[in-house]
């Protein structure tokens, strides 16, 4: 009976970590959407609110880290449970960095909103949506233990990389044609690179999910 009680408590603690990770992931997805909305709709107030919101992501990172370390110390988990907790510790780091990237995008949006628009934002919203979908699917793969979905996330990173390259080529053409637009173009390039990094963090999470499920490190092996 005591062993069963211990097991139930341990399961509850793992579920709490899982739920907090999903909460953090959901808030990061909102940040990605709001960061892009603040740029496309030239909403500087939303940019400011999103920058301030990053504090909530940082707080959740500390809460989850503390819970994971507490479970490691008290339960001394082994095998799959140990992989789950160590993965959770790594996932929160990637999610926190995604929050930082969103805040940085908002800072560039705040600056760009002060100037005339260089060009319509068409590919950046597509890139942001693709990166956000990757974050969501990486976390879904983690919760469901779905290695096929995790592999899909790793493969989807190529689409975001291609959009980033396309945006940079277009902006280089703008800068060569009119040196006066260099400052604005460079800020847009920073936004694009920020979105690419968000997709890279989602890929990191997906690769770690595959490791949790299969015990196999597939970093640098997905085509």
């Amino acid at each position: 009976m005591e062993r069963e009680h211990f097991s139930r408590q341990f399961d509850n603690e793992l579920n709490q970590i899982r739920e907090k990770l999903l909460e953090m992931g959901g808030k990061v997805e909102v940040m990605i959407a709001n960061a892009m909305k603040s740029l496309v709709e030239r909403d500087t107030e939303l940019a400011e609110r999103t920058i301030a919101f990053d504090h909530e992501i940082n707080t959740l990172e500390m809460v989850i880290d503390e819970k994971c370390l507490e479970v490691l110390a008290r339960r001394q988990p082994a095998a799959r449970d140990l992989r789950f907790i160590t993965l959770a510790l790594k996932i929160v780091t990637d999610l926190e960095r995604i929050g930082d990237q969103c805040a940085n995008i908002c800072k560039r949006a705040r600056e760009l909103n002060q100037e005339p628009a260089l060009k319509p934002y068409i590919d950046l919203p597509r890139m942001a949506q693709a990166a956000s979908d990757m974050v969501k699917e990486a976390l879904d793969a983690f919760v469901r233990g779905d290695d096929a979905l995790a592999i899909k996330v790793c493969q989807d990173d190529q689409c975001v990389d291609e959009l980033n390259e396309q945006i940079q080529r277009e902006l280089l053409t703008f800068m060569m044609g009119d040196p006066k637009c260099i400052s604005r173009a460079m800020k847009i390039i920073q936004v694009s690179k920020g979105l690419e990094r968000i997709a890279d963090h989602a890929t990191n999470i997906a690769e770690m999910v595959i490791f949790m499920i299969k015990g196999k490190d597939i970093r640098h092996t997905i085509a």
Side-chain angles (χ1 to χ4, degrees):
M1 188 71 177
E2 185 178 341
R3 184 188 293 263
E4 182 181 336
H5 178 67
F6 175 88
S7 177
R8 192 162 56 246
Q9 277 189 330
F10 185 37
D11 287 342
N12 286 338
E13 288 168 348
L14 294 181
N15 282 332
Q16 287 172 15
I17 293 170
R18 189 178 289 110
E19 286 168 6
K20 281 292 179 187
L21 274 172
L22 287 176
E23 179 187 348
M24 189 175 180
K27 290 187 173 186
V28 159
E29 288 174 44
V30 170
M31 282 190 77
I32 297 170
N34 286 343
M36 192 48 46
K37 186 177 180 182
S38 73
L39 177 66
V40 173
E41 299 185 7
R42 302 176 69 82
D43 188 339
T44 301
E45 185 180 335
L46 177 60
E48 296 285 5
R49 290 202 306 271
T50 305
I51 292 167
F53 189 77
D54 189 39
H55 175 71
E56 291 196 27
I57 303 300
N58 296 339
T59 300
L60 272 171
E61 180 194 23
M62 292 186 288
V63 168
I64 296 168
D65 276 352
E66 186 177 341
K67 185 64 179 175
C68 287
L69 293 173
E70 178 189 329
V71 170
L72 281 172
R74 289 177 55 234
R75 305 298 189 187
Q76 298 181 336
R80 187 181 175 90
D81 291 332
L82 178 60
R83 287 206 298 269
F84 170 85
I85 294 170
T86 54
L87 173 58
L89 284 165
K90 290 181 178 180
I91 286 177
V92 293
T93 300
D94 277 294
L95 290 176
E96 189 274 333
R97 288 175 181 165
I98 291 172
D100 288 345
Q101 290 297 333
C102 291
N104 289 337
I105 289 169
C106 286
K107 289 172 185 175
R108 300 294 79 76
R110 186 174 59 188
E111 294 163 358
L112 285 161
N113 292 349
Q114 307 293 322
E115 305 177 72
L118 181 61
K119 64 186 287 289
Y121 297 119
I122 297 170
D123 291 323
L124 282 175
R126 288 174 55 206
M127 197 176 174
Q129 186 60 58
S132 183
D133 288 345
M134 286 176 66
V135 173
K136 183 179 187 305
E137 289 179 351
L139 290 172
D140 285 347
F142 168 69
V143 170
R144 300 190 328 227
D146 188 339
D147 59 314
L149 183 58
I151 290 170
K152 175 185 177 295
V153 172
C154 295
Q155 293 169 339
D156 287 347
D157 189 44
Q158 181 66 30
C159 173
V160 176
D161 288 343
E162 288 171 359
L163 281 169
N164 179 51
E165 289 170 8
Q166 178 181 320
I167 289 166
Q168 294 205 36
R169 282 197 303 269
E170 289 178 359
L171 290 167
L172 180 59
T173 302
F174 270 91
M175 289 188 286
M176 291 172 65
D178 181 5
K180 291 179 182 176
C181 74
I182 289 176
S183 174
R184 282 174 291 167
M186 289 302 299
K187 289 168 187 171
I188 297 170
I189 285 173
Q190 288 171 0
V191 170
S192 181
K193 288 182 72 68
L195 292 172
E196 183 202 21
R197 289 190 184 110
I198 288 171
D200 287 344
H201 288 302
T203 301
N204 289 346
I205 294 170
E207 288 172 345
M208 290 186 287
V209 168
I210 294 166
F211 175 72
M212 180 186 75
I213 297 166
K214 294 190 170 184
K216 180 181 177 183
D217 190 343
I218 55 88
R219 286 177 295 178
H220 315 303
T221 65
I222 295 290

